[in-house]
Amino acid sequence: MKWRVSTYALMLAAAGLPLYIHLPRYATGELGMSLATLGVILAGIRVMDFAQDPALGWLVDRYPRYKSAFATSAALGMALGFVMLYTLRPDGGLWWFIAALVLVFTSYSLGTILFYGQSAALAAQTDGLIHLAGYREAGTLGGIILAASAPAVLVVLGATGSGYAAFGVLLAGVCLIALWVSGPLWRVSAPGQSPLSLAELRASGGLGLLALAFVNALPVAITSTLFLFFVEDRLGLPDLAGPFLILFFVAAGLSVPVWTRAATQHGAARSLIAAMCLAILAFIGAALLPAGAAIGFALICLGSGAALGADMVILPALFAGALDRAGLQAGRAFGLWSFAAKLALASAAILLLPLLELSGYRPGADNSEAALMALTLGYAVLPCLIKCAAIALALQLPREEVHA
């Protein structure tokens, strides 16, 4: 059961953070799209998500006997969406690009809500919520590493162009494999639960955790969106962008068992705050790096990656634990959770990409000092300030912890 959890999480990860890492460079470099246009498209998709994610959560709660069908729809939808987005690119296909993104994000939402909503049911078979989160996020981080590094690796292996056409086929194959192995996950019955209401969500502490999750996700969303730009144009190390990404996510993956043990031994909230402080140190270090500082940025990747591992393990487990203690249905609750996470990612792209363009920054161009300073402020300084706000929210968490 544990490896099935990790495999399905790996599939979902390919449609999450890596999409935002690749999308700015892919859309501007391969499709000739401006940063402002991409920001508008992502804004429109997030408007759709505002209604869609809670509705998908309601659907999962209302028809629990169809969980296998929902899981199949999510996996097949992502497989088709990836091929449309990266592999099949008709000339002048702006609407095709938009349709592919809508399909990928809708399928990702359905799969994520369904998967996290099963937490209470699966926890009994995986030694508790924190351990379940460890298996889930180990798969998630494996999927992120795969998807983040795949285009560059595929080029080395002989893929044409920038490797994105083969990338779409690879991700589709991952989705089909995950669909095949995850079937038993949806046959595990959840305990009896009450319908979700805003008042009960607030009383359970879940509403405060949603706010914390959104604020805490913003720094990662910002750095993910600007990562390639920062490495290539600010540090002047384009050939190391792929290795830096891999190092970042390997550090996150290796940190998962450390944070899992820390949360069970020292408390989830205390461990989460420690990880946030580590992230702040990494952001400060990134802001101070000179151009060409490969070793320095490698250390930044190690520190910030380790901090991400805690975010991905502890926060969802705290939220699932709050719902479980209150006996609330998880589908609509994780619909809101999914929306909060994606809103953070989209907010980074919607707000920062047009502002960078206004500052005079152009990806891959000979940028002025002022434009590069704007990039540094966006990549390192702003996330540091937001993470301080996240720590203030985390300090308000009740002392109830998730146990192994």
Side-chain angles (χ1 to χ4, degrees):
M1 188 65 70
K2 299 171 184 176
W3 67 275
R4 298 181 192 276
V5 168
S6 296
T7 303
Y8 199 82
L10 186 149
M11 175 196 71
L12 290 174
L17 205 55
L19 191 60
Y20 281 86
I21 291 172
H22 291 301
L23 203 57
R25 176 49 55 90
Y26 173 69
T28 57
E30 299 281 319
L31 305 181
M33 191 178 299
S34 71
L35 291 176
T37 299
L38 179 60
V40 170
I41 291 172
L42 292 175
I45 290 176
R46 288 303 163 247
V47 170
M48 175 194 73
D49 276 337
F50 184 77
Q52 173 180 269
D53 283 5
L56 291 173
W58 174 86
L59 195 66
V60 169
D61 282 343
R62 178 67 178 81
Y63 300 103
R65 64 184 180 278
Y66 294 126
K67 287 181 180 178
S68 293
F70 293 146
T72 300
S73 299
L76 294 181
M78 276 188 284
L80 177 59
F82 283 133
V83 172
M84 289 175 61
L85 181 62
Y86 291 117
T87 309
L88 304 177
R89 294 183 290 180
D91 292 337
L94 178 61
W95 290 109
W96 181 274
F97 175 80
I98 294 172
L101 284 180
V102 168
L103 182 56
V104 167
F105 281 120
T106 300
S107 302
Y108 170 78
S109 291
L110 178 59
T112 300
I113 292 164
L114 178 68
F115 189 46
Y116 280 81
Q118 276 287 87
S119 294
L122 296 174
Q125 303 190 20
T126 50
D127 306 318
L129 284 167
I130 284 286
H131 285 88
L132 171 66
Y135 302 128
R136 183 179 60 223
E137 303 314 332
T140 295
L141 292 164
I144 290 173
I145 293 170
L146 171 67
S149 60
V153 173
L154 289 169
V155 169
V156 172
L157 295 177
T160 59
S162 299
Y164 285 112
F167 183 47
V169 175
L170 172 66
L171 293 181
V174 168
C175 292
L176 296 178
I177 292 171
L179 174 62
W180 177 56
V181 304
S182 66
L185 297 180
W186 320 118
R187 294 194 287 271
V188 179
S189 299
Q193 298 169 324
S194 303
L196 183 73
S197 71
L198 186 61
E200 290 176 323
L201 185 62
R202 182 187 296 110
S204 72
L207 203 58
L209 285 167
L210 275 174
L212 172 59
F214 172 72
V215 174
N216 191 57
L218 280 172
V220 176
I222 291 169
T223 54
S224 300
T225 301
L226 302 182
F227 180 88
L228 293 179
F229 299 149
F230 186 81
V231 172
E232 295 180 8
D233 295 328
R234 168 66 174 75
L235 297 179
L237 300 170
D239 294 338
L240 294 180
F244 282 146
L245 272 175
I246 294 172
L247 182 63
F248 173 77
F249 290 119
V250 166
L254 293 177
S255 75
V256 165
V258 176
W259 293 117
T260 299
R261 174 168 293 189
T264 53
Q265 292 185 349
H266 305 294
R270 183 179 301 174
S271 301
L272 183 63
I273 292 171
M276 292 175 174
C277 293
L278 177 60
I280 288 175
L281 291 176
F283 294 141
I284 293 173
L288 299 176
L289 287 178
I295 295 177
F297 193 68
L299 295 175
I300 298 300
C301 291
L302 287 173
S304 58
L308 176 66
D311 292 345
M312 299 181 73
V313 170
I314 295 174
L315 271 174
L318 284 172
F319 190 61
L323 297 174
D324 189 41
R325 287 192 299 272
L328 299 176
Q329 288 182 329
R332 272 177 285 185
F334 274 104
L336 296 172
W337 185 271
S338 175
F339 172 70
K342 290 191 295 183
L343 180 62
L345 282 166
S347 297
I350 293 165
L351 297 175
L352 287 180
L353 295 181
L355 288 175
L356 277 178
E357 195 163 44
L358 287 174
S359 75
Y361 172 73
R362 298 293 182 271
D366 187 13
N367 289 286
S368 66
E369 287 297 322
L372 293 177
M373 178 56 70
L375 178 59
T376 300
L377 291 173
Y379 179 82
V381 177
L382 181 60
C384 184
L385 297 175
I386 296 174
K387 188 65 78 168
C388 289
I391 289 177
L393 290 175
L395 290 171
Q396 306 304 313
L397 288 175
R399 295 299 97 185
E400 292 177 339
E401 305 289 2
V402 178
H403 299 287

